[in-house]
Amino acid sequence: MSSHSNPSTAATPLDLSKWRSLPTRLMLVGGILSLIGLLVPSYREQFSFSWLVSFMFFLSLCLGGWFMVLVHHLFDASWSVPIRRVTENLACQVRWMAVLFVPIALFAPRMYPWMELSANHTPDHALHAKGALLNIPTFYLASIFCFAVWWYYTTKLRFWSLEQDRTGSAECTNRMRMLAYFGVFAFAITLTLGVILWMKSLQHQWFSTMYGVYYFAGSVWLTIATVYVITLVLKRQGPLREVVQETQFYFLGSLLFAFTVFYAYIHFSQYFIIWNANIPEETFWYVLREKGSWWQIGLLIVFGHFFLPFLTLLRIDVKLSWLMIPLGVWAWLMHYVDLQFNIMPILHPDGFVLHWLDIGSFAFMAGFMARNFMKDFAAYPAYPQKDPRFAESMGVYVAPASKTPAAKVAGGAR
Amino acid sequence: MGETSKPYGIIAEFETAAAIMHAAEKVRDSGFRKWDVFTPFPVHGMDRAMGLKNSKVGWFSFIGGATGYTSGMLMIWYLNAVDYAIPIGGKPMFSPHGAFPPSYELTILLGAFGAIFGMLFLNRLPKLHHPLLKHERFKLATHDRFFVVIETGDPKFSETETRALLESAGSKHIELVED
């Protein structure tokens, strides 16, 4: 049917068995490196910042997955039914992020300068004004609140989805829809809260009303690219072979394109408003990020996070081509660089440094999250089994039971 | 006048979206070039059933957008930095950040112009008259009927064979359309 050359149409599954142990190995190597950073006092500061960057990276994937589930229910979408189990399982990994948050909770008093000011009762003017949120009890309580909300919504959404696999009841769809309705508000509030507390308050004097949206745009961008690649692998390997079709890949590609532009729009707006107003209370954040090689990193974000994917995705046929795989890898790299740009200039104001603890903590979390995701994915059916919109997502029309001609029903009964 | 001139084409009527899809696939596979399908609503997958390639409008839009962005940047640079320098807030005379919002809006404007005028140009619109508009039953194309029209100008057109093809596709109502 298709004239496009989609890599997913290749018939033979790839032999991925030799990659099976990769997550465990990553976890092991990364775990050892991180442990050294944790235990050796001179590395502890670098470790806590490296850990924060990796933590925010994998949090992006979990929250992005949750967002895709929410949007699926809010729009009553049919196309995303076959990929929903992927995003549901991705979202549910957020419970492990609570575990990975422990080192940040422990080292927070050294990472966030405002905590020291707050503890010594010597707040500067900015901290005095922002004290309602930026105080030590609120920091921990709000963090617990975020994880609790995320755990509740992600597990509930998957619970009702799995319940529908069993019963096929429309009630489950209604439940998920209500969860999505309240969930999207919870999503916006908690994501903003989390990113303000954990990333933005590293420089508590700074102002930006875009910051939550900024992290959200980058996170969903990363997640769409990741879901594309995961779905492609699952289609080739079998579990989603019959159910995922060109439509799903095309729409994921289009969404990726949209979020490429959306991210650029948000980041440019943040920069432009600060540049234009030219007030020292705001500009210092970007001034720090123009020092040393951070200048080049900033340009890399402009051209690599926006221009390259934008120009690549502009053509309609790219969204179904092999180019989407290198683009997925590129999205991981760019989002990581973006988070480095946000977090690391505080520790390394002279320029970008790729420390072995960056690689260690990232490898550990990548292995840990991949293992957990694969375990979850293998434990449940690979796609929603009895979703009312399933046939529609496959492009098949099924007449509703109420429209079956009465005579035929009567005839059948006789 | 109508009796002596060559007819415009042959029109075949279908009753369902599925029927018109199959008919379109048949006509496409027979290698016709000058033909079209008319439906009361967009039928998904029709572009493939007709063997249509991706529209070229995108190129007009792209060129329009690129022109808009470049001319916006050049205009602001020339006006504010060269022709009549205006120092504002200690900022450079020209900065791509400051010039970006208007250039971006010009990108959208000229991109949209490219799309609409490119579409009109490729469709050879506006057109004051079309032979199909005289055809009585063709009005149903905006109601509940589906039509395939094959022009006599198509190199593969033959009145008897084309009629037979459309009949075999399941049309019960086939007529010639006057020019």
Side-chain angles (χ1 to χ4, degrees):
Chain A
M1 176 174 161
S2 158
S3 57
H4 299 292
S5 56
N6 193 321
S8 66
T9 50
T12 48
L14 300 166
D15 181 25
L16 294 183
S17 54
K18 60 172 181 276
W19 297 91
R20 275 203 88 82
S21 61
L22 180 71
T24 317
R25 268 186 273 164
L26 280 175
M27 229 179 113
L28 222 64
V29 175
I32 292 167
L33 291 178
S34 300
L35 211 60
I36 296 170
L38 185 72
L39 296 176
V40 179
S42 57
Y43 287 134
R44 203 163 285 160
E45 198 177 18
Q46 175 67 45
F47 164 78
S48 54
F49 276 85
S50 298
W51 190 266
L52 180 64
V53 173
S54 303
F55 172 83
M56 293 310 290
F57 184 92
F58 288 97
L59 185 67
S60 288
L61 283 175
C62 301
L63 294 181
W66 181 29
F67 178 76
M68 286 176 78
V69 178
L70 290 176
V71 165
H72 167 87
H73 292 301
L74 285 177
F75 286 93
D76 193 14
S78 64
W79 73 269
S80 45
V81 173
I83 61 161
R84 206 178 72 212
R85 208 40 61 76
V86 175
T87 49
E88 280 168 354
N89 282 317
L90 211 51
C92 278
Q93 302 316 314
V94 83
R95 65 189 192 277
W96 295 110
M97 296 313 295
V99 178
L100 297 177
F101 185 71
V102 171
I104 298 168
L106 289 176
F107 293 126
R110 294 179 194 203
M111 294 165 75
Y112 302 95
W114 63 265
M115 279 207 177
E116 203 185 326
L117 296 176
S118 185
N120 299 338
H121 300 288
T122 52
D124 57 10
H125 182 68
L127 186 60
H128 184 71
K130 297 173 182 182
L133 180 66
L134 296 186
N135 63 70
I136 294 168
T138 311
F139 178 86
Y140 289 105
L141 285 175
S143 301
I144 293 168
F145 171 73
C146 288
F147 285 113
V149 169
W150 295 339
W151 172 80
Y152 173 78
Y153 276 101
T154 55
T155 38
K156 276 285 170 192
L157 280 163
R158 191 174 65 178
F159 170 78
W160 284 109
S161 181
L162 291 170
E163 191 67 8
Q164 194 168 48
D165 281 4
R166 220 164 45 78
T167 63
S169 159
E171 172 64 13
C172 304
T173 299
N174 293 335
R175 291 283 187 142
M176 288 187 275
R177 205 171 284 168
M178 282 310 279
L179 279 169
Y181 170 72
F182 291 108
V184 77
F185 292 101
F187 173 84
I189 292 164
T190 51
L191 180 139
T192 310
L193 200 57
V195 81
I196 286 176
L197 288 174
W198 305 332
M199 271 169 79
K200 190 167 164 248
S201 82
L202 287 166
Q203 287 174 292
H204 68 275
Q205 298 93 343
W206 191 49
F207 300 89
S208 170
T209 51
M210 318 283 283
Y211 207 66
V213 187
Y214 166 62
Y215 179 73
F216 156 74
S219 296
V220 177
W221 183 71
L222 171 81
T223 309
I224 295 164
T226 310
V227 169
Y228 191 105
V229 176
I230 292 177
T231 313
L232 196 58
V233 172
L234 289 171
K235 185 178 169 69
R236 268 191 94 146
Q237 296 312 108
L240 298 181
R241 182 186 293 274
E242 306 299 332
V243 292
V244 170
Q245 291 163 343
E246 225 168 57
T247 323
Q248 277 74 34
F249 290 110
Y250 178 69
F251 285 170
L252 280 172
S254 304
L255 263 182
L256 184 66
F257 183 52
F259 269 86
T260 305
V261 180
F262 180 58
Y263 169 86
Y265 177 76
I266 294 299
H267 201 172
F268 176 77
S269 299
Q270 177 177 287
Y271 181 82
F272 179 69
I273 289 165
I274 289 170
W275 177 85
N276 205 27
N278 211 5
I279 302 168
E281 286 92 322
E282 296 166 357
T283 48
F284 79 96
W285 196 90
Y286 276 110
V287 169
L288 176 65
R289 283 157 183 80
E290 286 180 5
K291 297 271 161 63
S293 56
W294 291 114
W295 169 255
Q296 278 84 17
I297 293 289
L299 287 179
L300 179 65
I301 290 170
V302 173
F303 290 96
H305 204 303
F306 172 63
F307 272 105
L308 185 79
F310 174 76
L311 293 174
T312 311
L313 286 165
L314 207 49
R315 280 184 62 99
I316 198 165
D317 47 2
V318 170
K319 294 163 188 106
L320 292 173
S321 80
W322 59 270
L323 273 169
M324 293 300 290
I325 296 165
L327 207 59
V329 178
W330 185 251
W332 273 52
L333 187 67
M334 280 302 108
H335 190 63
Y336 185 78
V337 166
D338 188 25
L339 291 174
Q340 280 265 348
F341 179 80
N342 273 271
I343 292 169
M344 278 300 181
I346 294 143
L347 190 63
H348 301 294
D350 299 328
F352 174 71
V353 181
L354 189 65
H355 200 271
W356 54 267
L357 275 168
D358 289 333
I359 299 167
S361 59
F362 191 87
F364 174 73
M365 286 193 208
F368 181 63
M369 298 310 278
R371 261 179 71 105
N372 293 329
F373 174 77
M374 294 194 320
K375 212 174 147 198
D376 271 19
F377 192 81
Y380 308 112
Y383 51 88
Q385 305 286 297
K386 293 180 182 169
D387 191 287
R389 292 226 176 259
F390 195 80
E392 197 182 327
S393 75
M394 308 264 299
V396 179
Y397 177 71
V398 181
S402 57
K403 279 196 184 161
T404 316
K408 208 174 160 190
V409 173
R414 212 177 293 147
Chain B
M1 164 184 161
E3 285 166 40
T4 49
S5 70
K6 200 175 155 204
Y8 167 74
I10 193 164
I11 185 167
E13 189 177 316
F14 295 86
E15 305 220 331
T16 63
I20 194 90
M21 281 280 268
H22 295 308
E25 281 164 3
K26 262 194 157 164
V27 177
R28 172 197 69 193
D29 294 341
S30 311
F32 285 97
R33 301 238 161 268
K34 292 184 159 186
W35 64 291
D36 210 346
V37 169
F38 301 88
T39 59
F41 49 81
V43 178
H44 282 286
M46 184 53 86
D47 46 348
R48 278 190 193 162
M50 288 179 69
L52 293 179
K53 292 220 169 60
N54 191 16
S55 159
K56 289 195 166 51
V57 169
W59 284 105
F60 288 89
S61 197
F62 180 77
I63 292 163
T67 314
Y69 187 79
T70 324
S71 56
M73 283 282 170
L74 284 175
M75 182 178 74
I76 293 164
W77 163 77
Y78 178 74
L79 295 179
N80 286 0
V82 179
D83 190 44
Y84 194 91
I86 309 173
I88 303 165
K91 294 210 167 59
M93 290 303 170
F94 175 77
S95 160
H97 317 135
F100 182 79
S103 310
Y104 166 68
E105 282 169 21
L106 265 178
T107 311
I108 295 171
L109 182 72
L110 294 200
F113 280 168
I116 188 125
F117 290 115
M119 182 277 291
L120 291 175
F121 172 73
L122 292 174
N123 282 328
R124 293 179 201 151
L125 287 171
K127 207 175 257 183
L128 294 176
H129 176 70
H130 194 280
L132 280 171
L133 297 177
K134 282 191 298 191
H135 191 75
E136 253 326 290
R137 290 193 71 86
F138 185 68
K139 285 179 185 144
L140 294 172
T142 61
H143 188 57
D144 64 348
R145 295 300 157 87
F146 304 81
F147 293 94
V148 169
V149 175
I150 303 176
E151 292 176 27
T152 47
D154 194 290
K156 295 203 80 174
F157 184 86
S158 125
E159 206 182 314
T160 49
E161 277 172 37
T162 308
R163 183 181 282 269
L165 173 80
L166 290 168
E167 267 167 8
S168 74
S171 174
K172 302 232 159 44
H173 222 286
I174 301 174
E175 284 176 43
L176 280 179
V177 184
E178 289 174 27
D179 199 12

